[in-house]
Amino acid sequence: MIDVSHMSHVYTDEMGNPVHALKDVDVTIYKGEFVAIIGTNGSGKSTLAKHFNVLLMPSEGTVKVLGMDTQDPAHIWDIRQHVGMVFQNPDNQIVAAVVEEDVAFGPENLGIEPSEIRRRVDEALKAVNMSQYALHAPHLLSGGQKQRIAIAGVLAMKPDCIILDEPTAMLDPRGRKEVLDTVRRLNKEEGITVVYITHFMEEAAVADRIVVMKNGVKLQEGTPRQIFEQVDTLKQLGLDVPVAAEVASELIKRGHALPKGIITNEELGDVLCR
């Protein structure tokens, strides 16, 4: 789906000095994958994601989406139809006074026929379990509901891949669960490729693969178990870990015979009960 090869991104700060936001990054994201990108503030994770649908372009190296080079102007429109993006604050993406009109905004800009737009809007709202709110005003919805509407707006454009840049950062626990459950369902049932940027480690733990960023560099990648069993390493990097992984690590240090790779509350509970 996405191939990042030796990619660097350099910008100039207010003093005129070059700043390397990304340095020689290599990442491959396959069709149908759910990939989480984690890192502290300033690690480059959001900057990396913005290259995936050409909001930014590399200073060095290449980014290719379905084989299309993001630096080729002829491909920008095509890439953006294949890769949709959902940002942190849903209020910044909601533009209409009625939910169904907001979801229709993207397809209308693509020049889709009205009958097809109607079908896409209905399908997108159903996919995020928001059909009953089609005629509601977005400003009356909860944060989690607004974010699901923002996701529906992207879905209505029929992308192969959705990039979510800290989509639950401004939500309460219930809203976070609503959004994460929606994204997981779209990935597993619809086969949509998901790139999920988050600082909530319990959210990253449900991904197929995790990419760890630090100071613009990709430090490592692996399955959630491979990443989160390195509790001390992640703590040294300034990153959090799932509570279950940290508790399991501390118990192992104190001599308890627990298996490695525990990352969920359920797994920890099962082991402790036994």
Side-chain angles (χ1 to χ4, degrees):
M1 183 76 214
I2 299 170
D3 185 47
V4 179
S5 179
H6 298 291
M7 192 268 283
S8 297
H9 184 82
V10 183
Y11 67 91
T12 303
D13 66 14
E14 63 274 11
M15 302 299 292
N17 301 312
V19 178
H20 276 78
L22 296 169
K23 306 171 192 174
D24 196 29
V25 175
D26 288 303
V27 173
T28 300
I29 295 166
Y30 300 96
K31 287 184 181 179
E33 257 196 317
F34 187 144
V35 177
I37 303 177
I38 63 174
T40 56
N41 290 338
S43 63
K45 57 187 186 296
S46 292
T47 302
L48 176 62
K50 288 174 183 175
H51 283 78
F52 297 163
N53 73 336
V54 210
L55 288 178
L56 294 173
M57 286 190 281
S59 303
E60 300 173 12
T62 60
V63 177
K64 292 185 178 180
V65 177
L66 293 172
M68 297 178 285
D69 193 326
T70 62
Q71 295 185 83
D72 184 342
H75 290 321
I76 292 176
W77 185 246
D78 289 331
I79 290 171
R80 286 181 178 164
Q81 290 188 67
H82 287 287
V83 180
M85 194 151 188
V86 177
F87 295 95
Q88 183 179 117
N89 188 346
D91 289 328
N92 293 339
Q93 284 188 266
I94 293 175
V95 297
V98 179
V99 164
E100 66 176 15
E101 292 177 2
D102 188 81
V103 178
F105 181 79
E108 286 173 349
N109 281 322
L110 294 176
I112 305 297
E113 290 292 321
S115 59
E116 174 64 10
I117 291 175
R118 177 74 266 169
R119 188 181 69 81
R120 290 192 183 193
V121 169
D122 290 343
E123 285 185 355
L125 286 172
K126 182 179 178 182
V128 299
N129 288 332
M130 290 293 289
S131 298
Q132 68 271 37
Y133 297 96
L135 299 179
H136 280 56
H139 73 274
L140 298 177
L141 301 177
S142 69
Q145 290 171 329
K146 287 180 182 179
Q147 196 61 285
R148 283 151 66 193
I149 293 302
I151 294 171
V154 172
L155 286 178
M157 293 186 282
K158 295 291 184 182
D160 300 300
C161 176
I162 299 179
I163 314 295
L164 300 106
D165 189 0
E166 301 206 35
T168 65
M170 302 181 68
L171 306 181
D172 60 21
R174 179 178 176 180
R176 291 204 299 270
K177 184 178 187 304
E178 288 177 358
V179 171
L180 184 61
D181 287 349
T182 297
V183 172
R184 292 180 70 185
R185 187 173 64 252
L186 293 172
N187 173 248
K188 300 305 178 188
E189 297 179 8
E190 307 289 337
I192 294 174
T193 306
V194 171
V195 178
Y196 196 94
I197 297 162
T198 183
H199 61 268
F200 294 111
M201 298 302 109
E202 284 79 7
E203 294 181 355
V206 307
D208 299 321
R209 186 158 50 96
I210 295 175
V211 174
V212 183
M213 301 290 296
K214 178 73 172 180
N215 295 332
V217 175
K218 185 189 83 173
L219 288 185
Q220 55 180 297
E221 62 181 304
T223 66
R225 295 191 193 286
Q226 291 170 333
I227 298 299
F228 289 134
E229 70 180 13
Q230 305 174 59
V231 173
D232 292 339
T233 300
L234 293 176
K235 289 283 189 179
Q236 289 169 8
L237 293 172
L239 292 172
D240 205 352
V241 295
V243 172
E246 185 168 9
V247 171
S249 175
E250 289 298 321
L251 289 171
I252 290 170
K253 288 178 184 176
R254 298 182 188 194
H256 295 280
L258 272 65
K260 289 187 176 182
I262 293 173
I263 60 174
T264 69
N265 294 339
E266 291 76 15
E267 290 171 346
L268 180 61
D270 287 345
V271 169
L272 293 179
C273 287
R274 284 199 297 270

